[in-house]
């Protein structure tokens, strides 16, 4: 068996693949390329090494690294509006939610898949704290069983009053006759 593996990478740019560059020699059977830039197309090759010999056979994979969306959330009339910036290479987005209850955060649940860059969660209950996360999805990669998870989350509580209801409540305090 192999004693180590050499990981190579090349970049697709201006309509053609660049030269292979060795980026890592490792004994592990996986590697995370933290230097890969969002929105760029990369091809990876792995060669097995034993002693002074390098395998003739190699495995390659092509992938587009997706960026991490900046997520915002705000109270809307009919729920919580979650919005995010467009991610280069993403064909859709998965919106996740978890809620805070009994002093702890619950597990994540996917609540929407969309090609839009916003979603209003009409099921959010007033007075409850939620965390929302968005994962960009590349359809071709997903069809090949790969989901790249670059997720950024934001927390928000749904207000108990609509904007009008809150204003009406505040106004009633000032309109009271204290005589």
């Amino acid at each position: 068996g192999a004693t180590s593996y050499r990981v190579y990478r090349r970049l697709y740019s201006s309509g053609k693949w660049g030269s292979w560059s060795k980026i890592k020699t490792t004994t592990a059977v996986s590697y995370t390329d933290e230097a890969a830039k969002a929105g760029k197309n990369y091809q990876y090759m792995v060669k097995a090494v034993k002693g002074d010999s390098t395998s003739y056979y190699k495995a390659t994979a092509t992938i587009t690294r997706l960026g991490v969306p900046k997520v915002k959330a705000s109270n809307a009339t009919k729920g919580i509006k979650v919005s995010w910036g467009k991610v280069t290479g993403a064909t859709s987005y998965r919106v996740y939610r978890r809620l805070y209850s009994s002093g702890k955060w619950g597990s994540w649940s996917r609540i929407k898949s969309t090609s839009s860059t916003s979603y209003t969660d009409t099921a959010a209950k007033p007075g409850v704290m939620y965390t929302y996360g968005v994962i960009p999805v590349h359809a071709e990669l997903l069809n090949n069983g790969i989901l790249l998870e670059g997720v950024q989350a934001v927390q928000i509580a749904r207000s108990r009053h609509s904007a009008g209801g809150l204003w009406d409540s505040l106004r009633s305090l000032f309109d009271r006759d204290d005589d």
Side-chain angles (χ1 to χ4, degrees):
T3 56
S4 65
Y5 302 92
R6 290 186 187 148
V7 181
Y8 298 83
R9 178 183 73 188
R10 65 181 178 172
L11 175 66
Y12 188 80
S13 180
S14 302
K16 62 182 179 177
W17 287 105
S19 301
W20 288 106
S21 299
K22 183 172 75 169
I23 58 172
K24 183 75 174 176
T25 299
T26 181
T27 57
V29 294
S30 67
Y31 171 70
T32 301
D33 184 3
E34 295 178 1
K37 304 273 190 253
K40 301 291 183 180
N41 295 315
Y42 295 97
Q43 192 169 53
Y44 293 88
M45 174 175 56
V46 178
K47 292 184 176 184
V49 178
K50 184 172 184 175
D52 293 334
S53 300
T54 302
S55 67
Y56 173 76
Y57 297 102
K58 57 192 179 277
T60 60
T62 303
I63 198 161
T64 301
R65 178 164 184 206
L66 301 179
V68 177
K70 183 168 176 80
V71 180
K72 299 177 192 173
S74 59
N75 278 285
T77 305
K78 295 183 178 182
I80 295 176
K81 182 177 182 180
V82 183
S83 58
W84 54 93
K86 183 171 176 48
V87 173
T88 302
T91 53
S92 65
Y93 303 89
R94 291 181 174 181
V95 181
Y96 289 82
R97 176 184 73 191
R98 65 181 181 163
L99 65 95
Y100 189 78
S101 178
S102 302
K104 61 183 177 180
W105 286 102
S107 56
W108 289 100
S109 297
R110 182 168 48 169
I111 58 171
K112 183 72 175 174
S113 290
T114 181
S115 58
S116 176
T117 55
S118 68
Y119 169 70
T120 300
D121 182 7
T122 58
K125 296 185 179 3
V128 177
M129 178 72 77
Y130 295 95
T131 299
Y132 292 89
V134 176
I135 296 176
V137 176
H138 186 287
E140 183 179 335
L141 296 176
L142 189 60
N143 290 339
N144 291 321
I146 300 169
L147 175 60
L148 300 178
E149 295 194 14
V151 63
Q152 193 247 355
V154 64
Q155 291 180 3
I156 189 169
R158 175 140 186 234
S159 64
R160 292 187 183 275
H161 304 282
S162 66
L166 179 59
W167 176 250
D168 292 342
S169 297
L170 290 173
R171 190 176 62 209
S172 69
L173 288 174
F174 293 104
D175 290 344
R176 274 194 346 211
D177 186 6
D178 290 329
D179 293 339

